Every structure is written in structure tokens, then in C-alpha cells.
Amino acid sequence: MQICLSRIRYLVDTYGLSRKKLQALKCKEVKKLRENIDQLRAHNDAYGLESLVRPYRA
């Protein structure tokens, strides 16, 4: 449980995502979101990254 909360805190602090919207997700979904974000950052895909995080923005 602590790992999941840590992932949510990281996403909120780093990308300005809504804590409420992320808490509605299951832990595996948060993990997958973080992995997808990391992949897009590794490929320098700014448009893909923006489209991925937009639904979770505050």
C-alpha cells in the first residue's frame, strides 16, 4: 500500500496530476501509468506524454 501511495505522490508532485483522480485508480493501474510515462519520457515524446497525463490533471 505504501508503494502505491508513493507512486501517487510522485505523479502529483512531478506532473501536477490530481490526487483524487489517481486515488480512484487501482494500484496496478497507477503502476502502468508510471511505466508508460517513463517510456514516453525516454523516447522524448512530449505530445504522447501530454495526451497521457491530460485526463488526470487537476
Side-chain angles (χ1 to χ4, degrees):
M1 190 60 159
Q2 288 297 97
I3 295 171
C4 191
L5 293 175
S6 175
R7 286 187 185 120
I8 289 174
R9 189 176 319 114
Y10 171 81
L11 293 172
V12 169
D13 293 342
T14 306
Y15 298 102
L17 304 183
S18 171
R19 183 178 307 271
K20 214 177 221 186
K21 291 179 182 178
L22 291 175
Q23 285 177 340
L25 298 176
K26 294 182 180 178
C27 196
K28 288 184 180 183
E29 294 171 329
V30 173
K31 180 180 178 183
K32 187 67 176 169
L33 177 64
R34 170 89 187 265
E35 289 172 352
N36 290 339
I37 287 172
D38 289 341
Q39 288 176 354
L40 290 172
R41 287 190 68 203
H43 291 113
N44 292 323
D45 186 3
Y47 294 111
L49 181 62
E50 179 63 27
S51 66
L52 181 65
V53 299
R54 185 174 301 217
Y56 303 105
R57 288 265 164 108

